Amino acid sequence: MLKRTGVILVVFAALVFAAGTAQSQIPKDTIVHGANTDIFITLDPGICFEVLPSAIVKNIYAKLVEVKLEDGKFVVVPDLAEKWEMADDGKTWTFYLRDGLVFDNGDPVTAQDVVFSLTRVVKLQKSPAWLFTDVLGLTEESVTAIDDKTVQIVTNGAPPNIVLTNLGGSNGGILNQKVVMANEKEGDMGEVWLTDHSAGAGPYVLKEWKRNMMILLTANPNYWGGEPALKTVIFRDVPEAADQFLLLKKGEIDVAHNLTAEQANELKSATDVRVVTTPGQSDEYVGMNAGWGPFQDNRVRQAVKYAIDYDAIIEKVRAGFAINNQQFLPVGYFAYVEDNPFTQDLEKAKALMAEAGYADGFEVELVTNTTEIRKNEAIIVQENLAKIGIKATVNIMQASQMYAKFRQQGINLIVAGWGVDYPDAAALADPFANHRVNQLAWRLAWLDDHAADLAEAANKELDEEKRFQLYRELTQYWHENGPFAMMYQPVQYWGVRNELKGAEEAFEGYSVHCDFTRLSK
C-alpha cells in the first residue's frame, strides 16, 4: 500500500509541472512552492548549510530543541527533549527525551541516535561543523547516552542561549542511526545516501528529489507533534522571479520564494494573493578601513555615518522591504534594543570632517560586488559622500575577488552584507567588534581591544542580566567608535495565495525558524 501511495504522489507531482496546471487541480492537503532550487546541494542535516535547503531540513528532522519566535523574540522550546538542565559547572547539559518517540519508519528514537547524529556532524567536518566544534567546543567524546532516554552533552561553557540555539539549528537534526548506517558506503556515515533520502523524526519525509525539477515531501504519520494538515509539500524549480510571479497569480503555485521587491509591492493590491514578511537574518553595511588614511580618525568615520541617507537606501534599493536597524544585533535577538542614533545630517558631517582636517574632502575607492542591490546601494552611498567632500569611485568586483581582497585588509571602503550563523548576539558581536577572531572588524583594521574585551566577556557570561548589559555597553561603544555604518536589516518576503493559511506563523523568523506544520488550506 505504501509503494502504491508513493507512485500516486510521484504521478501527481508530475501533473503539477504540466503546463497550464490550475489551482483547482491541487488538493487542499497539498502545497506547491515556486523557488529557485539551483543552490540545493544536499539535504543531509550534517552537511546542509544553505538557507532554503536548511529550511526544508528543519521540517524533515526533529532536534533536541526548537528555536521559534514568541512576542518578537527568539526563544528555545522543547522538541524531542521534553526538558533539560545545565549543571553547576556551566558546561554539562542533560537532555531528557519524550516518551514514545519514533522515526518516520516506526523505529524508536533513542539517546544512542542522538549521540550518533551530533557526533556525526563533528566527524564529518563539513560546513556546519564549526558551530559544534568552535562555538560549543564539542568533540567526538562530548555527547554520551546515560540511558535510552537521557543524553549528556559537555560543552566549553558557552552561555545557555548559544548552546540551545545551536542544538536547535538544522545541523542538530536527529537521524535514525540504524537506517543511515545500513546505507553507509566506504565509511561515509551515510553521506551519499542522505543527500536525497531522509531518516528523521520530523513532520515530513523526503519522498523524492529530481534535481532542477522538484522536491517532494510527504507528511510523517508518526510525528510526535501530530500528522501535519498538509500531506504533500512540493518545491517546484522556477528559477526566474517573473515566472514565479505569473504562476502565483494564475494559482499554479501557492508560495513564490524569489520575487523582486517591485513584484511583491505590486501584489499588495491583489485580492487573491498577499505578501508575507519577516525580519531577515542579515545586515547590510558600509565598512571603513580604520587603518587607512582619513578613516584612522574616528571623526571621519562618524561623518560618514551622518552623511548616509538611510531612509533613501531602504526605499530606493529595497522598495521598503528593510528595517532601519543601525546596530549589529538583528531584531528579535538577545540584547536587541531599538537603537538608531544616526540620521542624515550633512552639516554635522561637514563639521566633523573639518575638525578632522578634511574640510576639502578626499578621494577613496568604494568597492562592492556585482549584485544589483549592492550596486544600487553603492551609488547612493557615493552620492551621499560627495555632499561632504568625499569623492568615492565605485569599483564593482566579482564577489570572490572582492572578499579575497577584503580578507587581506585590502579594501578601504566597502558596501557588503553579513548573514547570521545562529540566533545569538555572540554570532554578531564577534565578527563586528572582536578583531581577534579575524573577521569583519579585523578586515577593516579596527583593532580595538576594548571592543574585543567587551565582546569576549559578553560571549562567555552565563548570567543573562550581566550578559545583556555587556552587549548594550558594546553596542553603544561600537556606535561611537566602530568602522561600520549599518544601512539596514533586510526584510524577507514571499508571495502567498490567500487560500493558504498560517504562512505568517510558518515563516516567522526565517531562516532560523520555518515550520510547515503551521500551514493549511
Side-chain angles (χ1 to χ4, degrees):
M1 184 65 183
L2 286 175
K3 290 184 179 179
R4 184 180 177 189
T5 301
V7 171
I8 292 171
L9 285 170
V10 172
V11 171
F12 167 70
L15 289 174
V16 170
F17 299 104
T21 300
Q23 179 71 18
S24 60
Q25 293 177 265
I26 302 177
K28 286 191 67 175
D29 64 356
T30 299
I31 180 175
V32 180
H33 297 256
N36 184 348
T37 65
D38 186 58
I39 195 173
F40 282 59
I41 301 170
T42 178
L43 293 175
D44 183 336
I47 302 174
C48 181
F49 207 45
E50 296 74 32
V51 174
L52 181 55
S54 293
I56 294 177
V57 167
K58 286 182 175 74
N59 286 275
I60 297 174
Y61 295 95
K63 287 85 61 182
L64 286 174
V65 296
E66 184 71 41
V67 184
K68 60 184 291 189
L69 272 178
E70 288 184 359
D71 298 324
K73 296 182 179 180
F74 282 111
V75 298
V76 178
V77 297
D79 194 0
L80 295 178
E82 62 180 353
K83 61 181 180 178
W84 53 86
E85 59 195 24
M86 181 183 73
D88 291 340
D89 64 2
K91 296 181 179 181
T92 305
W93 290 77
T94 306
F95 293 85
Y96 303 91
L97 301 182
R98 298 175 186 274
D99 291 329
L101 291 172
V102 296
F103 288 104
D104 55 50
N105 69 348
D107 289 345
V109 178
T110 69
Q112 288 76 17
D113 292 302
V114 176
V115 174
F116 168 77
S117 302
L118 302 185
T119 303
R120 178 176 179 270
V121 177
V122 175
K123 289 180 178 179
L124 285 174
Q125 281 299 302
K126 296 301 175 73
S127 295
W130 71 277
L131 295 172
F132 282 3
T133 58
D134 296 5
V135 177
L136 302 187
L138 301 189
T139 67
E140 294 181 20
E141 291 75 38
S142 296
V143 188
T144 55
I146 304 302
D147 55 43
D148 280 351
K149 290 184 55 184
T150 311
V151 179
Q152 186 177 88
I153 301 176
V154 180
T155 72
N156 56 6
N161 195 58
I162 295 180
V163 173
L164 295 173
T165 55
N166 272 285
L167 292 175
S170 61
N171 53 304
I174 304 305
L175 295 154
N176 185 329
Q177 180 179 6
K178 182 175 74 174
V179 172
V180 171
M181 294 308 290
N183 290 281
E184 183 184 39
K185 292 183 178 180
E186 299 178 355
D188 73 345
M189 290 182 286
E191 177 182 339
V192 172
W193 185 80
L194 282 168
T195 297
D196 50 14
H197 294 81
S198 66
Y204 286 93
V205 179
L206 175 59
K207 192 70 178 179
E208 186 173 12
W209 176 9
K210 290 186 176 293
R211 281 163 179 73
N212 300 315
M213 287 184 61
M214 66 91 176
I215 296 167
L216 176 64
L217 310 180
T218 58
N220 175 11
N222 295 318
Y223 177 53
W224 73 264
E227 189 173 0
L230 293 176
K231 308 306 180 189
T232 306
V233 177
I234 298 171
F235 278 83
R236 175 176 174 180
D237 183 52
V238 186
E240 299 298 328
D243 293 333
Q244 291 186 29
F245 182 73
L246 291 174
L247 291 171
L248 183 70
K249 290 176 67 176
K250 290 165 64 178
E252 295 182 25
I253 60 175
D254 297 297
V255 181
H257 281 255
N258 307 109
L259 299 179
T260 67
E262 291 72 22
Q263 289 167 340
N265 277 324
E266 185 177 335
L267 291 178
K268 289 181 178 179
S269 61
T271 58
D272 55 350
V273 177
R274 69 190 187 278
V275 177
V276 171
T277 65
T278 192
Q281 309 305 310
S282 61
D283 296 313
E284 287 286 308
Y285 64 86
V286 176
M288 297 161 274
N289 190 324
W292 174 81
F295 292 143
Q296 295 179 70
D297 193 315
N298 187 42
R299 291 169 294 186
V300 175
R301 302 199 297 267
Q302 289 286 308
V304 169
K305 297 176 188 181
Y306 281 111
I308 293 174
D309 190 340
Y310 302 92
D311 292 336
I313 291 173
I314 289 173
E315 292 304 318
K316 293 179 181 178
V317 177
R318 297 290 303 189
F321 288 102
I323 299 167
N324 182 19
N325 181 11
Q326 295 173 10
Q327 60 185 295
F328 52 77
L329 293 179
V331 173
Y333 281 52
F334 177 82
Y336 169 83
V337 175
E338 186 174 345
D339 185 8
N340 300 316
F342 302 103
T343 56
Q344 189 180 52
D345 187 336
L346 297 178
E347 293 307 311
K348 186 168 186 175
K350 289 176 183 177
L352 286 165
M353 289 283 285
E355 287 178 21
Y358 294 97
D360 296 328
F362 56 88
E363 296 183 4
V364 65
E365 181 183 64
L366 172 57
V367 177
T368 196
N369 64 26
T370 58
T371 62
E372 201 63 28
I373 284 178
R374 296 271 165 78
K375 289 191 288 186
N376 291 336
E377 289 169 355
I379 290 170
I380 294 177
V381 171
Q382 179 189 45
E383 293 171 349
N384 293 162
L385 296 184
K387 294 178 180 179
I388 63 170
I390 300 177
K391 304 172 187 66
T393 301
V394 177
N395 183 3
I396 307 297
M397 290 185 178
Q398 292 294 327
S400 57
Q401 178 188 7
M402 181 184 81
Y403 286 114
K405 188 174 183 179
F406 192 26
R407 291 186 183 103
Q408 298 300 316
Q409 296 182 332
I411 292 177
N412 296 327
L413 186 63
I414 188 171
V415 167
W418 184 261
V420 185
D421 292 306
Y422 59 97
D424 183 83
L428 289 306
D430 263 347
F432 279 100
N434 185 359
H435 66 88
R436 296 168 191 148
V437 300
N438 294 328
Q439 292 182 315
L440 297 180
W442 185 88
R443 294 172 195 174
L444 292 172
W446 191 47
L447 311 180
D448 191 303
D449 286 328
H450 181 63
D453 288 345
L454 282 172
E456 290 178 356
N459 294 351
K460 296 175 183 176
E461 179 57 60
L462 297 180
D463 184 287
E464 288 202 347
E465 184 175 343
K466 292 179 181 178
R467 190 169 188 243
F468 179 91
Q469 293 303 325
L470 284 168
Y471 282 126
R472 294 314 307 152
E473 183 181 349
L474 174 60
T475 299
Q476 183 63 42
Y477 184 82
W478 183 84
H479 277 315
E480 295 172 355
N481 299 279
F484 300 92
M486 198 69 80
M487 292 184 289
Y488 60 83
Q489 178 183 346
V491 166
Q492 181 75 44
Y493 56 86
W494 299 262
V496 177
R497 299 286 305 179
N498 280 344
E499 54 263 32
L500 184 67
K501 310 301 181 186
E504 289 77 6
E505 294 78 17
F507 293 119
E508 187 178 35
Y510 189 89
S511 59
V512 171
H513 170 263
C514 185
D515 184 359
F516 296 160
T517 69
R518 306 301 298 271
L519 298 169
S520 63
K521 288 184 178 178

